[in-house]
Amino acid sequence: MTRRILLFTVIALLAAACGTQSATSLGAQQREPSVGHWLLDSGTDDGADLVILDTHPIGMTLNGSRITGTAACNSYGGVYTLDEDGGFNITDGVAVTEMWCGDQDVMDSEQAYLDALQNVDRLEITTSGLVLTGGGAELRFVANPDGGDVPPEDQDGGDDPVSSGFFPSHSHGSWILISGESAGRVIPMVDSHHVRIKIGPDSIGGTVCNSFGAIEPFPADGSFPDIASTLMACEEPAMQSEAAFLDALSRYERAEIIDGNLVIRGQDTVLTFRPDPDAPADEPIDKPDGDGSNSTPGQPGAGLFPPETHGTWTLVDGQFNGATLQPSPEFPALLEVTSDGVGGRVCNAYGIVFDEDGRPADFNLTRVDCGDTINELEELFLKTLSQGEIAVVMDGQLVIRGSIGSLIFESA
């Protein structure tokens, strides 16, 4: 899902650090007071107050060996140790998802917290909560009674924002969301667009307005896979519901069946589903391909992409409605054409969905933010590509032309 509606998550590593508790000892015998869900109540770093937004609270969960949480918007996680003198150290740094959160104030609040977190080196339990201090920073937390059960202590030492495990066999099937909360916000429900999830032994898929699914192959380290979705425009509030759900799903940590319902829990996230009475037991799972491969209902028509166009190409020039598409050296626009499918990557990986006549009908696209300039280039590139009417190879270059523009590629 990584958002990422993400739905996709890209990981950045931060330098290690964290705090300690006093001589009353939160070591192996007495660390339980620190285990639980916490909300940042106040904080300073080098004398400057941290800004905490009511709409984007900052959370932290400790389970005895693992720290996870939501840093205003993105999820973070790591492994920590706690010694008998209160020494609290995050080993190997903190992993953080890198989703753009749509508001610079939110991003600034998040970054200030993460900067302070990497400086602290002591943890203390006080009468009012938990305090991390050190390196000129102080982070004061209060208990979060709405955090739910604390995840069991990890044994594998992983440092990803989400833990391994996926969905147990008894959760396989089709489900409909009946309630959800994530990062302190309720996921809106739309009667005309039920949130459906279909789970198999090695597959995750479903629909809201768009179809979504896990990008294959699943990560070899057992971490939760990135989620891709198709990009049809849907009326509001269906799009809000879809975006909130896919972000919540990307926070997955574990799933269980409670009173016949499927409950998915993650960082500050609880999703509750009821069985889908309308789904056949053997219904296949639709998984949009976010890695640039083709998907049903059709394949590329030979008239648009004849055999001589097959291969891997890099954009060197383009026009969209008279405006020049300037390729980026950092994010080259790649196109791969085969008889089975057409896809590639700019910032995000994409795959063209063809209709039954072999014409472009939609895109499967991951949702990583790479900055306004690159995202705009990507959008214009895909619009031009989707309107292509003829593709020919001339003087070793692939030229795609349509009613709104043209694209020129060189062999990669």
Side-chain angles (χ1 to χ4, degrees):
M1 330 264 255
T2 59
R3 200 151 175 159
R4 77 203 14 274
I5 78 205
L6 335 244
L7 109 353
F8 300 92
T9 50
V10 177
I11 303 301
L13 292 179
L14 301 177
C18 264
T20 70
Q21 161 146 340
S22 60
T24 52
S25 176
L26 288 179
Q29 297 296 324
Q30 301 185 33
R31 63 186 174 186
E32 287 303 315
S34 66
V35 171
H37 300 285
W38 303 92
L39 288 174
L40 186 64
D41 185 58
S42 64
T44 59
D45 192 13
D46 287 336
D49 290 336
L50 269 62
V51 176
I52 305 172
L53 303 173
D54 292 339
T55 55
H56 291 78
I58 296 173
M60 178 181 72
T61 296
L62 304 177
N63 75 345
S65 65
R66 185 166 172 79
I67 177 173
T68 57
T70 302
C73 173
N74 283 280
S75 301
Y76 65 93
V79 175
Y80 72 89
T81 60
L82 183 61
D83 64 32
E84 294 183 355
D85 295 325
F88 184 88
N89 177 55
I90 300 179
T91 60
D92 300 326
V94 175
V96 186
T97 59
E98 289 188 334
M99 178 177 63
W100 171 253
C101 302
D103 189 319
Q104 190 60 49
D105 290 341
V106 176
M107 302 303 294
D108 290 345
S109 173
E110 177 170 285
Q111 190 60 55
Y113 167 70
L114 294 173
D115 288 345
L117 184 63
Q118 70 177 337
N119 291 330
V120 297
D121 59 14
R122 294 194 62 80
L123 182 152
E124 181 182 1
I125 297 295
T126 69
T127 56
S128 59
L130 179 150
V131 183
L132 296 175
T133 56
E138 179 180 86
L139 301 173
R140 292 188 170 273
F141 297 83
V142 296
N144 178 12
D146 300 323
D149 297 333
V150 176
E153 189 170 344
D154 281 350
Q155 302 299 321
D156 60 2
D159 62 355
D160 290 332
V162 292
S163 59
S164 61
F166 293 168
F167 297 91
S169 58
H170 55 278
S171 69
H172 296 172
S174 184
W175 306 84
I176 295 177
L177 185 70
I178 56 177
S179 66
E181 292 187 15
S182 183
R185 297 180 290 277
V186 175
I187 295 175
M189 309 291 288
V190 182
D191 291 339
S192 59
H193 290 82
H194 291 301
V195 177
R196 284 184 166 87
I197 188 170
K198 291 172 281 184
I199 303 167
D202 58 359
S203 304
I204 307 167
T207 57
V208 186
C209 166
N210 286 277
S211 298
F212 64 88
I215 297 177
E216 293 184 312
F218 283 177
D221 62 2
S223 59
F224 195 70
D226 291 334
I227 301 294
S229 75
T230 56
L231 294 177
M232 294 185 299
C234 307
E235 69 276 10
E236 297 293 357
M239 292 300 289
Q240 297 177 16
S241 176
E242 180 173 276
F245 168 72
L246 292 177
D247 175 67
L249 183 61
S250 72
R251 302 167 185 263
Y252 172 91
E253 287 185 334
R254 67 190 190 278
E256 55 190 331
I257 303 297
I258 300 177
D259 296 331
N261 290 330
L262 169 66
V263 180
I264 293 176
R265 300 184 188 276
Q267 292 91 31
D268 301 319
T269 295
V270 179
L271 303 172
T272 302
F273 302 79
R274 63 175 173 85
D276 183 357
D278 300 323
D282 59 350
E283 180 182 13
I285 294 176
D286 298 324
K287 296 179 295 178
D289 301 322
D291 59 355
S293 58
N294 188 56
S295 67
T296 55
Q299 293 179 317
L304 178 57
F305 292 102
E308 61 268 23
T309 68
H310 295 179
T312 302
W313 306 86
T314 302
L315 182 70
V316 295
D317 194 10
Q319 298 283 331
F320 175 80
N321 281 342
T324 300
L325 297 182
Q326 183 65 46
S328 165
E330 185 179 1
F331 292 94
L334 298 177
L335 173 72
E336 184 174 0
V337 183
T338 71
S339 59
D340 296 321
V342 179
R345 178 181 292 275
V346 185
C347 163
N348 288 274
Y350 67 88
I352 298 179
V353 179
F354 294 90
D355 60 23
E356 295 179 353
D357 296 324
R359 304 294 303 178
D362 199 359
F363 281 97
N364 292 325
L365 187 70
T366 58
R367 296 185 179 184
V368 177
D369 183 88
C370 297
D372 292 343
T373 300
I374 299 303
N375 285 346
E376 181 179 1
L377 168 65
E378 180 175 77
E379 180 180 3
L380 296 180
F381 168 75
L382 293 178
K383 283 182 178 179
T384 308
L385 181 61
S386 68
Q387 297 297 314
E389 297 173 350
I390 185 173
V392 297
V393 177
M394 302 171 57
D395 297 327
Q397 293 182 318
L398 171 63
V399 181
I400 299 177
R401 293 193 179 97
S403 59
I404 61 174
S406 62
L407 301 170
I408 301 175
F409 300 83
E410 289 185 346
S411 176

